[in-house]
Amino acid sequence: MSRDEPPLAVELPLIEKRLAGPPSLAPYAGPAGGWGALKSVGRQLTRSGAPLTGVRALLAMNQADGFDCPGCAWGDPTHGAAFEFCENGAKAVTWEATAKRVGGDFFTRHPVGELLGWDDCRLEAQGRLTEPLYYDAATDRYRPIGWDAAFALIAERLAGLDDPDRALFYTSGRASNEAAYLYQLFVRLFGTNNFPDCSNMCHEASGLGMTASLGVSKGTVRLEDFEAADAIFVLGQNPGTNHPRMLGDLRRAAERGATIVAINPLRERGLERFADPQRKVEMLHAGSHPIAGHYVQPRLGGDMALLRGLAKALFARQAAGSFAPDRAFIEDHTRGYAAWREAVLACDWATLEAQAGVDRDEMARLAEIYAGAPRVIITWAMGITQHEHSVATVREIINLLLLGGHVGRAGAGACPVRGHSNVQGDRTMGIDETAPTWLLDALEARYGVPMPRRPGFNTKGALQALEAGQAEVFIGLGGNFARATPDTPRTEAALRRAGLTVQISTKLNRSHLITGREALILPCLGRSEIDRQGPEGRPQRISVEDSMSAVHASAGRLAPASPALRSEPAIVAGIAAATLARVLPRRGIDPAVVDWAALVADYDRIRDEIAAVIPGFADFNARLAAPRGFILDNPARHRDFPTASGAAEFAAGALPEAVMHQRLAGRPGWLTLQTLRSHDQYNTTVYGYDDRYRGVKGQRRVLFVNPGDLARLGLRDGDWVDLLGEPYREEGQEEVQGERRGEPRRAPAFRLVAYDTPPGCCAAYYPETNALMPLERVGEGSDTPVAKAVAVQLVPSRRLA
């Protein structure tokens, strides 16, 4: 099979093979967690081929002297337990601690053209990468290459560019603070701010919205605030799958009497009931505890209208004398309240109900809960941020918190739940295509070298630059860029236009198969592995920052999968030293301005550099030595709002004229699709083919649809359909991997599943549905792909009828 085959041509034979036996579909009656989670962990340990190694790793995960979970960024309690991991964290670690290996001999047996026909789960299940590899286009295989030769090749290609902006430097949220700092320093010394990163595809709207409203881009709560909150509103997220440790904190809040409100289009089991595997009595008696006392299912894109309706109901309660805004807080610490109140009151109920898909009485019940709670937390994830109007929705969340003075108060505040382990820390370290002036000034003062000032490419801009031939080199620090990004055929075609693609990775994934004219795979240590550096081979520790701004140390405990592996900081430093030795002398700059080898020999030296440049990291090494590290200061917790006005800003933005489900109302056969993870998945890593909480076993190509929509469209549960998206238009090349202009985007062969979704809305797993997402359809101001509001048409599948 040719590496240049269109993705659908590659995918269809695989789909038909996997669908030879129908998937098992049955409602799941149990709670989240419980025996199901324990059995899943056991299966993962067995599949790894190294169960004892996996157990040792799990016992060290999220412990003060161990390593940080490579999965989600949920905070670690200061009073942590002996088992401080969840089911999905266990999957991530056993996936990393596998006994299986992938080296040059693997590619002798399997050319890239063959591997393109494998699915994501099968690719990563082959095991850990063990040596640097170079893609030989003539044989369509990767072959081993030495580290020095790999660094020299990258340096030669980067130094040969006529403009530093023709190189792109992607970052996954898995990278440590130390790796991220070195990466941004190298890239800016090289001369560009081209930092597309995973934040661009998930929580960009959270940072932008909170910065505009509060002057800070991070959440204002700490983990202990969940122990004091009276009401917790959980918006657009599925913690049972995406960050299961959050369920323990929600459960404890519910047990002491806090009201949990779940606002999400799908009913997710983790927000309904949870059984804690660490509670022996509960496990023996198959018990569980309810989580959400109230569950509201808005239509996709209807969250802003729902929140504004909640506010309108609160003002009605104020007029009736049953609610009082926090006047002192509003007058002393905010601006724009009157304009926002006027905008809320101007919205008519019919418009709010139509857009939200929720009636006025339900909004009034939410207002009653809010009004009766002295301390309110609102927490959200990508169900909020991956919409066209996501920034405005985040600002509406902050409006509600400001109304009751729920910022800078114990047990209250804003809590965006970041996805990957250190995605927040990477941004703190300077992984930002629109770097703030203070950071560039600080770097110049520290190193005496002018820093690039023009904004770089984000993820959308990077893909467009590749597509237009304006970018020649792509380097990915972790992640699976080809599968994480939208518009799959265009993304893959764009990456193949590059001269050189470099992937720094632990496991094989599809991005390794979507190569430029040249390609390298550089294998790195995993989070769980011992990282030895310097002449004496001293074990190093790294640091990460969680969603609550807590910075703590992480030190691997397992032997590396291969003696040829290097750490992410060492790989970045190796590329930097080789490249800058060629580039900086041309600009009259001594390459010795940074001693990369010395920094990598002792990570304490990297942290000294961070302390000298990044605010909040003074005495970094000493503070990191504390058992649970330290918490970065957030001025909003002290009611200090570093906005232009010096006050928190209410936002009086208008509602969207229409959200996707309204736009599609007159188009027969069309629905609004949200893309999501299965329970056997973390981001683009697919561990298996089951989705336990949604009752799916053995398959991923399923489409969850409202039963009424099935009847309206003349379809039935169990039918096979193809999903058609918006047509390819003038963007991109004349042909995009076999897809011509004017033809619809297509994702074939999905089995329909009648499910509890709002009318007009459906759901399916990514990355299989990323092909349906136009690259240009992004959030206003955030450029985040609109993955939760994708227009799709359902047509009977001719291939699987």
Side-chain angles (χ1 to χ4, degrees):
M1 185 176 293
S2 168
R3 65 186 290 275
D4 295 318
E5 288 274 7
L8 294 185
V10 173
E11 209 169 7
L12 279 169
L14 172 68
I15 293 168
E16 292 173 338
K17 181 179 178 180
R18 283 219 34 91
L19 299 185
S24 168
L25 298 165
Y28 179 71
W35 287 109
L38 289 180
K39 291 176 183 176
S40 175
V41 170
R43 284 194 298 270
Q44 293 297 326
L45 288 167
T46 301
R47 283 178 57 192
S48 73
L52 294 179
T53 300
V55 169
R56 288 199 301 272
L58 291 176
L59 293 176
M61 188 161 68
N62 296 323
Q63 299 301 314
D65 59 347
F67 63 92
D68 191 72
C69 176
C72 81
W74 190 250
D76 297 334
T78 56
H79 44 75
F83 301 96
E84 203 49 68
F85 60 86
C86 67
E87 177 185 351
N88 269 14
K91 290 175 183 175
V93 169
T94 56
W95 209 238
E96 184 174 285
T98 177
K100 302 172 185 177
R101 301 289 184 262
V102 174
D105 58 333
F106 173 86
F107 291 97
T108 300
R109 300 190 303 273
H110 303 291
V112 167
E114 175 195 335
L115 296 173
L116 282 166
W118 295 16
D119 67 9
D120 299 280
C121 181
R122 186 181 177 191
L123 285 171
E124 293 207 25
Q126 300 310 304
R128 292 289 302 280
L129 295 160
T130 59
E131 58 186 334
L133 299 163
Y134 172 78
Y135 177 67
D136 182 349
T139 62
D140 193 35
R141 286 171 167 82
Y142 279 95
R143 58 174 172 77
I145 185 174
W147 279 106
D148 290 343
F151 294 154
L153 175 64
I154 297 169
E156 182 178 349
R157 299 299 180 263
L158 288 174
L161 299 176
D162 58 8
D163 185 340
D165 285 339
R166 291 179 64 81
L168 306 168
F169 299 87
Y170 177 72
T171 318
S172 160
R174 188 199 66 203
S176 66
N177 289 330
E178 291 74 15
Y181 183 83
L182 293 185
Y183 199 48
Q184 65 83 30
L185 176 59
F186 154 54
V187 172
R188 291 195 166 102
L189 288 170
F190 175 67
T192 185
N193 284 308
N194 284 347
F195 286 110
D197 78 312
C198 58
S199 290
N200 301 149
M201 292 183 279
C202 55
H203 264 287
E204 200 71 65
S206 296
L208 292 169
M210 289 190 296
T211 297
S213 292
L214 302 176
V216 298
S217 62
K218 302 177 183 180
T220 66
V221 304
R222 297 178 182 172
L223 205 55
E224 57 264 30
D225 287 316
F226 282 82
E227 301 172 7
D230 299 295
I232 303 171
F233 289 75
V234 183
L235 277 66
Q237 59 180 301
N238 175 21
T241 288
N242 299 333
H243 29 267
R245 285 197 297 153
M246 182 183 185
L247 293 181
D249 294 289
L250 292 177
R251 177 200 169 115
R252 286 185 286 274
E255 285 179 323
R256 62 174 175 76
T259 301
I260 312 295
V261 178
I263 299 174
N264 195 59
L266 298 182
R267 293 192 72 90
E268 301 289 10
R269 182 50 48 90
L271 289 170
E272 294 177 319
R273 288 188 289 133
F274 175 60
D276 189 343
Q278 295 194 48
R279 298 195 181 196
K280 299 180 180 62
V281 173
E282 184 168 275
M283 295 295 287
L284 286 172
H285 296 283
S288 64
H289 194 280
I291 300 295
H294 296 265
Y295 211 118
V296 180
Q297 294 176 263
R299 293 194 184 190
L300 290 165
D303 301 276
M304 184 176 178
L306 175 64
L307 294 167
R308 189 150 284 191
L310 195 166
K312 188 175 178 72
L314 285 171
F315 288 132
R317 294 182 68 89
Q318 180 187 9
S322 57
F323 170 70
D326 190 330
R327 291 278 185 192
F329 174 81
I330 291 171
E331 292 173 5
D332 293 345
H333 297 289
T334 74
R335 300 289 185 274
Y337 169 70
W340 174 65
R341 186 176 188 276
E342 182 178 344
V344 170
L345 294 176
C347 291
D348 64 88
W349 282 112
T351 298
L352 294 170
E353 289 177 319
Q355 197 165 110
V358 176
D359 65 35
R360 175 178 178 175
D361 290 342
E362 188 65 69
M363 298 183 203
R365 281 191 285 273
L366 297 181
E368 182 180 4
I369 294 169
Y370 178 100
R375 292 161 295 193
V376 173
I377 288 175
I378 303 182
T379 175
W380 69 93
M382 288 185 287
I384 295 296
T385 61
Q386 290 182 325
H387 287 280
E388 287 179 308
H389 53 286
S390 52
V391 175
T393 303
V394 169
R395 297 204 69 184
E396 199 69 18
I397 289 172
I398 304 303
N399 288 343
L400 277 173
L401 291 170
L402 297 177
L403 178 64
H406 297 299
V407 178
R409 173 187 297 166
C415 182
V417 181
R418 312 285 182 176
H420 219 154
S421 169
N422 198 42
V423 63
Q424 184 160 301
D426 288 351
R427 186 56 60 91
T428 300
M429 292 296 108
I431 301 295
D432 189 346
E433 77 280 359
T434 55
T437 300
W438 67 259
L439 173 62
L440 300 178
D441 290 345
L443 290 169
E444 288 185 357
R446 180 68 176 173
Y447 302 105
V449 177
M451 294 291 154
R453 296 281 168 165
R454 58 190 177 277
F457 290 127
N458 60 13
T459 296
K460 174 190 170 186
L463 285 168
Q464 291 173 324
L466 284 165
E467 194 169 56
Q470 297 171 354
E472 181 69 10
V473 175
F474 175 92
I475 299 179
L477 179 58
N480 185 357
F481 187 78
R483 293 301 264 170
T485 43
D487 233 341
T488 305
R490 287 179 64 193
T491 290
E492 295 190 357
L495 283 166
R496 286 186 167 123
R497 288 175 64 85
L500 173 66
T501 52
V502 181
Q503 307 289 345
I504 302 170
S505 311
T506 58
K507 305 282 290 288
L508 184 65
N509 64 51
R510 188 170 176 87
S511 290
H512 302 135
L513 314 179
I514 311 301
T515 69
R517 293 185 296 278
E518 294 181 288
L520 289 166
I521 300 174
L522 304 182
C524 64
L525 293 170
R527 188 76 61 80
S528 63
E529 292 171 315
I530 301 170
D531 179 359
R532 297 184 183 276
Q533 300 293 339
E536 299 176 359
R538 290 180 52 222
Q540 304 294 316
R541 57 182 178 170
I542 58 167
S543 64
V544 296
E545 178 185 345
D546 63 31
S547 284
M548 281 73 180
S549 300
V551 178
H552 49 274
S554 175
R557 302 283 287 275
L558 303 181
S562 164
L565 298 184
R566 295 197 181 184
S567 71
E568 288 180 332
I571 293 171
V572 171
I575 296 172
T579 302
L580 297 178
R582 295 172 180 252
V583 171
L584 291 184
R586 299 175 189 169
R587 293 155 46 194
I589 300 170
D590 184 354
V593 66
V594 176
D595 188 340
W596 299 97
L599 291 177
V600 171
D602 185 347
Y603 293 178
D604 281 358
R605 296 169 187 162
I606 304 175
R607 287 185 283 272
D608 286 340
E609 296 300 304
I610 294 171
V613 172
I614 307 296
F617 285 85
D619 300 319
F620 191 179
N621 282 304
R623 295 161 71 197
L624 192 66
R628 292 286 175 179
F630 61 95
I631 298 177
L632 294 171
D633 185 52
N634 186 321
R637 286 186 62 86
H638 317 303
R639 298 189 166 179
D640 175 15
F641 301 106
T643 61
S645 67
E649 299 281 352
F650 281 91
L655 285 176
E657 290 186 13
V659 295
M660 184 61 73
H661 75 81
Q662 293 174 303
R663 297 178 206 162
L664 298 177
R667 297 171 64 180
W670 288 77
L671 299 173
T672 303
L673 168 75
Q674 67 166 320
T675 71
L676 41 70
R677 298 170 180 163
S678 79
H679 193 64
D680 264 359
Q681 175 181 359
Y682 192 79
N683 293 340
T684 58
T685 299
V686 178
Y687 301 114
Y689 302 100
D690 298 347
D691 191 354
R692 186 169 74 250
Y693 298 153
R694 298 189 183 107
V696 177
K697 186 175 182 180
Q699 190 48 254
R700 289 180 51 80
R701 302 192 78 86
V702 295
L703 182 72
F704 303 101
V705 186
N706 180 282
D709 287 328
L710 290 179
R712 175 173 61 84
L713 298 174
L715 298 168
R716 296 175 301 174
D717 184 292
D719 285 352
W720 291 97
V721 298
D722 292 346
L723 304 183
L724 306 184
E726 298 176 35
Y728 290 98
R729 299 190 188 279
E730 294 306 308
E731 72 272 3
Q733 302 165 266
E734 183 66 36
E735 288 194 33
V736 183
Q737 284 292 85
E739 308 294 340
R740 297 179 182 276
R741 294 182 189 178
E743 292 185 357
R745 291 167 171 84
R746 178 183 293 268
F750 283 77
R751 188 186 191 279
L752 296 177
V753 178
Y755 205 76
D756 186 4
T757 71
C761 302
C762 60
Y765 308 129
Y766 70 83
E768 290 86 347
T769 48
N770 285 5
L772 300 167
M773 296 161 49
L775 177 61
E776 284 75 17
R777 284 253 299 122
V778 293
E780 297 170 4
S782 70
D783 270 1
T784 298
V786 183
K788 298 296 187 284
V790 183
V792 295
Q793 185 180 23
L794 279 55
V795 298
S797 176
R798 291 189 296 271
R799 300 184 68 103
L800 293 165

